Amino acid sequence: MNAKFLQQTSVVLGLATLTVVASGLSAQAQTQPTYPSTQPTSPPTEPSAPTNQPNYPSTEPSAPTTEPTYPTTEPSAPTTTPETTPAQPPRGDVEPGRATRGGSSYIGIGGNIGLGGGETALGLGNFTVLSKVGLTNAISARPSVVIGDSTAILIPVTYDFNLQPTGAATEEISAFSPYVGGGLAIATGDNSDVGPMLTAGVDVPVARQITANAGVNVGFFDDTSVGLAIGVGYNFAGF
């Protein structure tokens, strides 16, 4: 029993001794002073200069890409124009049915008073159809028909006078317009014949659309026939 007790005691003492020794070594390891490393550390580097320099515009400010636009056309004039009277056709142009300086063209009716030569209707009292067809400023054709037993067809060309004062007003239409001319006369029926003729007369505008006419017609047949025609005509424009 004593031997066993001694054996246990020695084991306990050995463990205690090992524990004390281990504690001492651990404390010694913890209490040893630390020394800085023998190699000197390199001095801190100086702060580097700023790498980013101020940014400046690479190019000068560009000019405006587009210039101000302006109207390409001037303002248009008012569409309305003052009213003007129709201009007379040029003097030398032939335009059938135009007005002449003696007045408008017309067609009308009237009566024929025979003044001599009773062989044809022209020399007797009969009904007549008369007309004026303007050709140029001063020339007109004035065909007419004297209706009766021996109907007479008259085809004269006349020169129309202008009684306005000379100057700028010469081209205006006269209020009283004489004419003279000549042409061809044709008698029909039993006393048929063809011969020259002369005519003279006057046109008088009495309204905007009406012209009065009086004229003497002379047909040179076997027996000269003379008649005085009086009538009114309705004015018209060119054909």
Side-chain angles (χ1 to χ4, degrees), residues 115-233:
L115 299 179
E119 298 295 327
T120 67
L122 177 61
L124 302 173
N126 293 284
F127 176 76
T128 184
V129 176
L130 49 86
S131 69
K132 169 192 172 183
V133 180
L135 300 177
T136 69
N137 185 58
I139 303 298
S140 300
R142 296 176 182 267
S144 61
V145 179
V146 182
I147 301 172
D149 291 338
S150 298
T151 298
I153 301 172
L154 309 178
I155 310 174
V157 175
T158 62
Y159 182 85
D160 301 344
F161 291 95
N162 189 325
L163 298 183
Q164 295 289 344
T166 58
T170 308
E171 301 305 322
E172 297 179 1
I173 294 175
S174 301
F176 178 80
S177 304
Y179 62 87
V180 295
L184 188 67
I186 303 172
T188 64
D190 295 336
N191 298 313
S192 61
D193 198 357
V194 177
M197 69 160 294
L198 294 176
T199 185
V202 62
D203 288 328
V204 180
V206 294
R208 181 176 181 181
Q209 296 294 334
I210 302 297
T211 298
N213 169 264
V216 176
N217 300 302
V218 181
F220 297 95
F221 305 112
D222 291 338
D223 293 324
T224 301
S225 298
V226 181
L228 171 63
I230 300 174
V232 293

Side-chain angles (χ1 to χ4, degrees), residues 26-52:
S26 175
Q28 185 176 2
Q30 293 178 356
T31 57
Q32 287 183 353
T34 59
Y35 298 96
S37 61
T38 58
Q39 295 181 356
T41 60
S42 59
T45 59
E46 296 181 357
S48 59
T51 59
N52 296 328

